[in-house]
Amino acid sequence: MTPALLGLAANPALPPALVDRLIAAADEELAQELALRPDLSRTQVRRLAARSEAAAVGLAREGRLQPADTDPVVQPLAALALLDEGAGPPRWARHFASHPRAEHREKLAACPDLPPDVARTLADDPDPAVVAELGSWAPAHLAAELARHPHARVRRAVAGNRSTPPDLLAALLTGEGLPPARSCRVCDQEDVPFVHTADCPRRDCALLPGDECDGSHRSAVHEIQWQALHNPATPAAAAAAFADHPSVLLRSLVAARGGLPQQTCARLAGDPVPMVRAELARNPATGEALIRRLAEDRVHDVRRSLAHHPHLPLDVLARLARSTRLGPVLLPRVAAATPAETAGLAAAADPTLRMLVALRRDLPDAVRDALACDPDAKVLKAIAPHPGLTEAQLLAMIGRHGPRVAGQVAANPGATAAVLEALTRPPAAVRKALREIARHPNSPVPALLACLDDPRARPVAAARPELPAGVVVGLLADEDPEVAAAAAANPALPADAMRALLP
């Protein structure tokens, strides 16, 4: 299917008669694009769904396909999508619970609010993949049962389920109180002991590098522990016991958990692996004494992670600003600063601190205006997109720093046509600015035409309905398929040009 036809399928100005013609000619790709149109009539929805099951699935997900329009035998995926959206009748669930295709039963197991008898049937399914899918969301009573399933894959799914009772999540971490798993994905298909290497020559092999089993399902147990430590419902005390585990991945998950005892945090602060210390550094559970200790860490990534701690003392932030590349990211502590703290940061001698507070978009007018006059370009880049800045302020920024602030000025929601047009002229014209100008609602036609000269801004500008109709028609033949598709989707495209695109 040509890019222009795919674009035309998305054109909001496409007349209903031409939508009908596109439906009649649609292949799978075009049908899926048409399914995204919000203006389809009930008749068009039924015709499109009958033409493509993938489109039918999309329509079902959006609530536009009705059960009466669907036959679960002819289009099982559409029916399963309706069940997943809570719109399918219970008899469909019972039909799929005993379906011969395991992938259909697995999709059913992911559906919410299944009838109890259907959930019971799926819990007893012979395929571990089906039971695992059920275990990932099952209610507490069923999750408690599946935590004892003989296959490790099911236990891993239950370990990630937030409805699993906390005592069972703790048991899944250690295995204590549970019968040993009898199988995993490794011993399902290999004689043990077996270790799967990264250079496995089998092209159809589904095992992961490092998968191993010697009868104890070692890699599967690690995955169960990883899921349980990632699960916020797992008790913090149970997670804390893994602070000294040999696995770096597991220690990192412990370091990221809330509610850790401070003695556990202190052990993790001395971990030899920077990744673990970096996770601890951003953890709200890390207290001030450890924050100050981590601020002296020799590894840059640990200090940068610490800057994202929500309760970071501002004097520590000032120290980090001098020693660490923080980048133009709004930090949680800066976002939560009080009015007095905000004013103090905006008046700081260090331009990095002024840049960090300039990234806020809720600054008082006086603070915003003071930062808009800042002599440091990185501060101006941070403040330039702030709403409320005047045309004169934005033009002054362009005049002082030109290309260095152009992209950020163009992103200002209040940038006027005069500002945006000025950004298309040297020396301010830069590619990043042109992309912002191409999508800015205030861009005048001359600025949009200038954006057509840039390869990355061209597809964005080609979709703008402010363009002259003749320009839009000319873009239909563009050698860049993105540009051609954008032009075909442009509401300014004349109806006769639309008809000319149709087969």
Side-chain angles (χ1 to χ4, degrees), residues 20-39:
D20 288 337
R21 287 178 60 184
L22 277 179
I23 292 173
D27 61 5
E28 281 291 330
E29 189 178 19
L30 182 56
Q32 290 180 64
E33 189 64 49
L34 285 164
L36 300 175
R37 293 188 64 88
D39 60 350

Side-chain angles (χ1 to χ4, degrees), residues 78-125:
L80 285 163
L82 283 168
L83 283 169
D84 195 35
E85 296 298 324
R91 58 186 172 82
W92 285 5
R94 297 185 178 95
H95 163 74
F96 285 112
S98 56
H99 199 281
R101 295 185 63 173
E103 58 264 37
H104 290 346
R105 304 198 305 275
E106 188 174 349
K107 287 183 181 295
L108 175 66
C111 296
D113 303 321
L114 292 172
D117 60 308
V118 172
R120 178 72 266 157
T121 300
L122 294 171
D124 296 330
D125 197 281

Side-chain angles (χ1 to χ4, degrees), residues 11 38 66 121 135 139 186 308 392 406 413 421-422 444:
N11 193 315
Q66 304 299 317
T121 300
V186 177
H308 292 264
E421 193 166 350

Side-chain angles (χ1 to χ4, degrees), residues 59 68 114 122 124 170 210 217 241 281 306 322 343 346 349 355 358 378 397 429 441 453 461:
L59 292 165
L114 292 172
L122 294 171
D124 296 330
H217 321 296
L306 182 65
R322 292 191 297 269
M355 178 268 290
K378 68 173 174 283
M397 291 182 191
D453 293 332

Side-chain angles (χ1 to χ4, degrees), residues 407-477:
Q408 290 72 25
V409 170
N412 189 294
T416 62
V419 169
L420 296 167
E421 193 166 350
L423 288 169
T424 65
R425 297 191 294 266
V430 292
R431 286 189 169 184
K432 184 177 180 182
L434 292 174
R435 295 194 295 273
E436 293 289 350
I437 294 166
R439 64 172 66 96
H440 201 291
N442 295 340
S443 290
V445 171
L448 293 175
L449 293 174
C451 292
L452 292 174
D453 293 332
D454 179 72
R456 295 185 64 181
R458 189 175 176 86
V460 183
R464 294 295 299 270
E466 296 88 349
L467 288 177
V471 173
V472 177
V473 173
L475 292 170
L476 293 173

Side-chain angles (χ1 to χ4, degrees), residues 166-167 169-171 173-174 228-229 233-243 254 257 260-261:
D167 60 326
L169 289 170
L173 271 175
T174 62
L229 289 171
T234 299
F242 280 69
V254 175
R257 289 192 60 89
L260 290 176

Side-chain angles (χ1 to χ4, degrees), residues 197-475:
T197 59
D199 58 351
C200 175
R202 294 177 296 179
R203 306 181 75 175
D204 60 344
C205 184
L207 295 177
L208 301 175
D211 276 353
E212 61 177 304
C213 182
D214 59 0
S216 64
H217 321 296
R218 184 172 176 178
S219 56
V221 168
H222 186 276
E223 290 177 355
I224 293 169
Q225 292 168 334
W226 188 94
Q227 283 284 10
L229 289 171
H230 200 269
N231 191 334
T234 299
F242 280 69
D244 298 312
H245 195 278
S247 168
V248 174
L249 291 177
L250 297 189
R251 298 202 308 275
S252 296
L253 285 174
V254 175
R257 289 192 60 89
L260 290 176
Q262 284 305 295
Q263 59 267 34
T264 302
C265 292
R267 292 212 311 276
L268 292 165
D271 196 282
V273 178
M275 180 173 73
V276 177
R277 303 198 303 276
E279 288 293 344
L280 180 72
R282 70 172 71 234
N283 189 337
T286 304
E288 183 173 340
L290 288 177
I291 287 174
R292 295 185 179 278
R293 173 180 165 186
L294 290 166
E296 304 299 331
D297 200 286
R298 295 191 307 274
V299 177
H300 176 270
D301 286 350
V302 175
R303 301 195 306 275
R304 185 168 58 185
S305 182
L306 182 65
H308 292 264
H309 194 291
H311 309 303
L312 187 70
L314 289 182
D315 66 298
V316 176
L317 175 60
R319 193 186 322 161
L320 293 174
R322 292 191 297 269
S323 66
T324 312
R325 296 186 305 275
L326 298 179
V329 178
L330 180 59
L331 301 174
R333 180 63 180 89
V334 176
T338 65
E341 290 171 335
T342 298
L345 289 168
D350 188 339
T352 299
L353 291 176
R354 303 199 302 273
M355 178 268 290
L356 291 172
V357 76
L359 292 165
R360 285 181 55 161
R361 297 293 172 255
D362 59 349
L363 295 172
D365 292 354
V367 173
R368 178 202 63 207
D369 292 344
L371 290 169
C373 299
D374 200 282
D376 194 288
K378 68 173 174 283
V379 179
L380 287 189
K381 287 172 67 175
I383 198 66
H386 197 294
L389 290 172
T390 66
E391 179 180 286
Q393 287 173 313
L394 295 175
L395 289 172
M397 291 182 191
I398 298 170
R400 287 160 58 194
H401 290 286
R404 297 184 67 184
V405 300
Q408 290 72 25
V409 170
N412 189 294
T416 62
V419 169
L420 296 167
E421 193 166 350
L423 288 169
T424 65
R425 297 191 294 266
V430 292
R431 286 189 169 184
K432 184 177 180 182
L434 292 174
R435 295 194 295 273
E436 293 289 350
I437 294 166
R439 64 172 66 96
H440 201 291
N442 295 340
S443 290
V445 171
L448 293 175
L449 293 174
C451 292
L452 292 174
D453 293 332
D454 179 72
R456 295 185 64 181
R458 189 175 176 86
V460 183
R464 294 295 299 270
E466 296 88 349
L467 288 177
V471 173
V472 177
V473 173
L475 292 170

